[in-house]
Amino acid sequence: MAHSVTPRATPAPSPRAGGPVFLGADEAARLAARLGEASALGATLAEERAAIEAWLAEKPWVPGSGPGGGVEHEQHKRNYSMLFAAGRHWQMTGDRRLLERIRTVLLAYAEIYPTLAFAKPYSQNPPGRLFHQILNEHMWLLFAAAGYGSVSADLSAADRAAIEAHLFQPMVTMFTVTYAHHFDIIHNHGMWASGAVGVAGIACGRDDWLTLAIDGQRGDRATAGFLAQLSLLFSPTGYYEEGPYYQRFALQPMFLFAEALERARPDLGIYRFADHAVRRAFMGALDCALADGTLLPLNDALKRMTIGSLGYRLGASLLYARDGADPRLLALAARHGRVWPDASGLKLSDALKGEVPQSFATGSALMTCGPQGDRGAVGILRADAAVASLDCGSHGLAEHSHFDGLTLGYFEGGAEVLRDYGAVRWINVEPKHGGAYLPENLSFSKQTIAHNTVTIDETSQHGGDAERAMRHHGRVLRFAGETAGRCCMVGEIAAFTPGVTLRRTVALLDHADFERPLLVDVVEITADAEHLYDHAFYYDGQIIVPPASFAAEPTLAPFGTAPGYRHLWRLGAAALGDGRGGLTWLQGATFRTLTLAASTAAELVLTRIGANDPNFNLRAEPGLVLRLKARDAWIAGVVESHGYFDEATETSRAPRGQITAIERLPAEDGLTVLRLTGHDRNGRAATWRVGLAASGDTHAVDGFAWSGAVEIRRDIKP
Amino acid sequence: MAHSVTPRATPAPSPRAGGPVFLGADEAARLAARLGEASALGATLAEERAAIEAWLAEKPWVPGSGPGGGVEHEQHKRNYSMLFAAGRHWQMTGDRRLLERIRTVLLAYAEIYPTLAFAKPYSQNPPGRLFHQILNEHMWLLFAAAGYGSVSADLSAADRAAIEAHLFQPMVTMFTVTYAHHFDIIHNHGMWASGAVGVAGIACGRDDWLTLAIDGQRGDRATAGFLAQLSLLFSPTGYYEEGPYYQRFALQPMFLFAEALERARPDLGIYRFADHAVRRAFMGALDCALADGTLLPLNDALKRMTIGSLGYRLGASLLYARDGADPRLLALAARHGRVWPDASGLKLSDALKGEVPQSFATGSALMTCGPQGDRGAVGILRADAAVASLDCGSHGLAEHSHFDGLTLGYFEGGAEVLRDYGAVRWINVEPKHGGAYLPENLSFSKQTIAHNTVTIDETSQHGGDAERAMRHHGRVLRFAGETAGRCCMVGEIAAFTPGVTLRRTVALLDHADFERPLLVDVVEITADAEHLYDHAFYYDGQIIVPPASFAAEPTLAPFGTAPGYRHLWRLGAAALGDGRGGLTWLQGATFRTLTLAASTAAELVLTRIGANDPNFNLRAEPGLVLRLKARDAWIAGVVESHGYFDEATETSRAPRGQITAIERLPAEDGLTVLRLTGHDRNGRAATWRVGLAASGDTHAVDGFAWSGAVEIRRDIKP
């Protein structure tokens, strides 16, 4: 469903005085009445208060700049969080120590800020004066200005003048003039920039700043500014161009500025703007979370990031109060045990005292890409504790995107079975290049071979050129997510490599003969000429049954010299005997078996990440690559999760997979029938057939008939 | 303190009838009264009952033999556990379903047992008929015979005759005649063998079996049999010759047979025998546990094994009731939440309703080795959350011992910082050689280079010859464990390599300038000629600051061809510039920095385990080796634990260590003074001096005076 991307500008109301941005006087009193309450709100306020008291107990400290994760960086982060929280608590309690500390710290910043040179940068992001990248300075302004708004009426005119003229004005000038090109980008940085300038505008009563933040520098609300960000960054299903990791981050300025606008500019109806873009963005972010709270690691992602982060806390409260009391929000807030400290959080906290659903999770979901939802999609299949994701969407924004079209993610029982590396970054760990992205993020993790997809002729998709990549997108041929245990999707990318089309069919199947769901995965390649195909799978754990006839290398060399390949050690290889083979590994307490078959003889190469990595920036994780040379080709795989191992009790069960071979039966284009050979859970020899259909309702191949996208049945022996 | 090892044989009482081994009629009634009780005993009985009901719900199944971890193996284990438990519950409840199932299963075993061939063996342990190794058959007999004893009075004479003649008699014959050589070994297998034959003797009223089990085949109680096991396997401090992992295992037959004897042969006074050997053995096993419940991984060890295992559950109850109600036993049982289901467990369960100490852990402990305590010792230093172990004891029994004299273990905050590999075994994981020990256990993990100690001329200690190794042992020059934060020990090994003496001084030091305790480690080498010294450290985590001037290898080759070395990939090396250098890694959420210095120029080689391992039997763990060539030499190291990293909140603190260099000041033999250079927690440059003394009370070196074994002080600038 498309939505408007070029709303008309409405005339702004007459100039306003500055003051509190997020909390009215009556609201502050209502919150104050809940201090000490045994509730999510009470816990939130108590936690904030404890942090503020720790801050008050220390001498005010306003240092210069430092690298990410360095003590100066962390102190500036702490100062802005505390300015914000202390402002709120000043409004609630009138405790003059809070007012005094906020004043002291803001004046200290105002005193040094004009004297500071630009910080040492660690990335292509322009530096600020407090932080190594302007992004963090945006964050500083947003939170600190909100804190200032809470106290400004209680400061002298001289103090206000000093803070606004020597701190906020130079910041806004830096953001909007010095770095004018960066202010207007459609990107999480642009969201932060507009949020910061907008909140500062409200706090200081500077409508010029506020207007700039809402409308963008060209004033058109279409190419820049907060409204354009809302219109352009999210698809109709709320998928975010940069992927879930940055979506989580963008939620913060989105909610903070939206809520500020709802209070300062109710005429905008911001929560309803662009087809409820705020709501869509949040629910999309929630749809991309796994049941354990981690996020799908598409594009640059730190793998431990969860729905515990601030944007999700903001969203649960604000949406619940502002745009529909969805029960998933209650479940999310119950998990947080915290709410946003304002009237919305108060409402949510009270609701948490009633009945609360168990889970915030949804079923299978197709996340369309692009503001119009017409640039492919990311599919998420869910069957019990199994989740598979297939990326047939758009490249996303250049900076954080990976060349990973048709990459497959697979999670089972809370573990990532087929792994995505994520970003090469030790965030805020100062010795790792100031906590910034590391060179291997480009040289390894963005490259196609770093992903669970097919690399052609050792060359990343689009030749590794982001500009080229943004001109193409995948498409979804079929998405059948209604029935857990029979869910399936079919995606296709063409032109990611000239002359080659890749189609991938992924299904999650429950069958009584198998302990846990099967992941079935079929890649079909149609090409103009012979190519070298490398189909990679990254896993996690100890190999229990190596591929048959595996020959280990006596010495290790990088797998190749091409981008990505040069970071993989080639551990050895096995022939995919008569086109089929596999391996079993132990991941935590569970065994996993991947069985593979291909249209032609192939080589199964085992790898480990870490070659050409003298600074140990990469994690030494294992993988495998199925390599074959052909024109048209197919590769079919099945992943089983089975058995149990517990070293402490010395118990083990079912350490081998049930499937020993996969065959693909001849079938017309668009249909795939696999025959799986193996044994059932009682050890009796058995075969099963799996039918997959890219389209259509009823199908039959070689006597195997099924309806819909996918079916699995055990063959009955005559 | 030595104790008697050759007790006189006392005349056995007159022949007894068979019957219950572990539970009297009155006792069974007292337990039955507690069924359903909300207590540790109630939980124990309920858990047993649930397992029994699941067993009853299935068809009785008595298969043939199979590999470790295979379904047959697991079924035999299950059957013996259930025969034992069901016998107990039959005595308690008179539920005839239990009697019938025990009868059915035992008769099924009696029917097939005489027909079974020997199983396929996977190790040098001789095979049984049910299991791939006789050891498991011992276990089977002990538990199943106990179950039989519980019901034998309620079986017909014909059933009893069938079970005793066709099942128990052939087993005892196999254990004591066919494998006579294995029955008498002083070893955990011998403990199981005597326990099994003894318990079967009591259950069947066969005093000939019982006498054999108590006295050994030569009847001397000195070289074999249960009493000899108790006399010879444990040192005066309760240290067990095979190490803590097998001690945990030996506790099971020790307690079961001891308790059986206390009931059947009270004349033996078994709990007081040999200076309370049973108690010593158990408290020694408890002293070797870490606060998280895992055991010191000395010799062959599966690293996840904990004090949750059966031997510890048996010991807590039986010792509490039989030989002194030590509060540590209460703390241990509270952790279990379970007790042993007899009168002793009833007493302990009732005691758990009162006040219970928090921890079962002890302070620093010196575990002497050898039955007389005169074969060196293993020292365990404890300071807050830090634990260091130094092995200066005896080689132990050949089968499971490692060539790892002076190996250092280091644990901090619940993590193993300096790691011991443990055993190369995926226990009961059938595809891994039937779950048995793997070839790499000998070719890697027993070798000296696999441990945190010094390998000389690329040759394991004693040339890797266990017979030679058993002729030597280390010695402890000093053990100062009284003061946490100033604890220290000095150990020495001579003749482990002809012509070379190694002395190692290890200290745990608290100092206000450092966040967490420092581990200080000094190795001194005195030799007859020039040798190649490789001092290895194994760690766990991601390198954050590589060694200065580290040069990565473009391709990887094994570190060497010698035993152990051939399984290490050589990742690259750095020069230990002017004799000092180090590296920082991230382990979980904590940074660790190892700073090293040596008497001469040295090479710091980074390694990863996994070369020449085509079956992926080894875990790919990282390590480093400090390599130098010299005659006499010293190597000093300090490990700091510092800072914090949490990816989910993107926060990091103190990612670099405070110490940048170590110097050793000239001092007389037996004294070591290190000057540590670096900065304090506020970033101010500082130096500290550490004084270590192998003997004596007061010491002074270059103006630095201290008393006792160890001191650390910050240098005050003039």
Side-chain angles (χ1 to χ4, degrees), chain A residues 261-333:
Chain A
L261 286 174
E262 183 72 1
R263 293 163 180 263
R265 289 287 305 275
D267 57 299
L268 287 173
I270 192 71
Y271 283 105
R272 292 175 303 287
F273 175 75
D275 230 354
H276 298 251
V278 170
R279 175 176 199 83
R280 275 189 291 114
F282 187 75
M283 298 315 277
L286 205 52
D287 289 344
C288 289
L290 299 162
D292 68 357
T294 57
L295 310 177
L296 276 189
L298 295 168
N299 296 331
D300 280 347
L302 302 180
K303 309 279 294 279
R304 304 279 176 88
M305 188 54 66
T306 74
I307 50 106
S309 64
L310 179 61
Y312 286 88
R313 280 174 59 173
L314 280 159
S317 292
L318 293 173
L319 276 188
Y320 190 84
R322 296 290 192 192
D323 200 24
D326 190 312
R328 288 174 71 194
L329 301 175
L330 265 182
L332 178 63

Side-chain angles (χ1 to χ4, degrees), chain A residues 245 303-305 426-428 430-432 542-543 555-556 608 616 618 620 645 647-648 650 652 656, chain B residues 245 303-305 426-428 430 432 542-543 555-556 608 616 618 620 645 647-648 650 652 656:
Chain A
Y245 174 76
K303 309 279 294 279
R304 304 279 176 88
M305 188 54 66
W426 297 89
I427 192 161
N428 287 337
E430 169 274 316
K432 289 290 193 192
Q542 183 76 21
I543 292 182
T555 61
L556 302 188
R608 186 176 288 281
F616 297 88
L618 293 164
F645 175 60
E647 191 179 77
E650 303 185 346
S652 152
R656 292 182 191 268
Chain B
Y245 174 76
K303 310 277 296 276
R304 303 278 176 89
M305 188 53 68
W426 297 89
I427 190 158
N428 287 336
E430 169 274 315
K432 289 292 192 192
Q542 183 75 24
I543 292 181
T555 61
L556 302 188
R608 186 176 288 282
F616 296 89
L618 292 165
F645 175 60
E647 192 180 77
E650 303 185 347
S652 152
R656 293 183 190 267

Side-chain angles (χ1 to χ4, degrees), chain B residues 604-620:
Chain B
L604 208 165
V605 179
L606 297 185
T607 64
R608 186 176 288 282
I609 298 166
N612 288 295
D613 179 28
N615 295 315
F616 296 89
N617 290 336
L618 292 165
R619 302 187 304 266

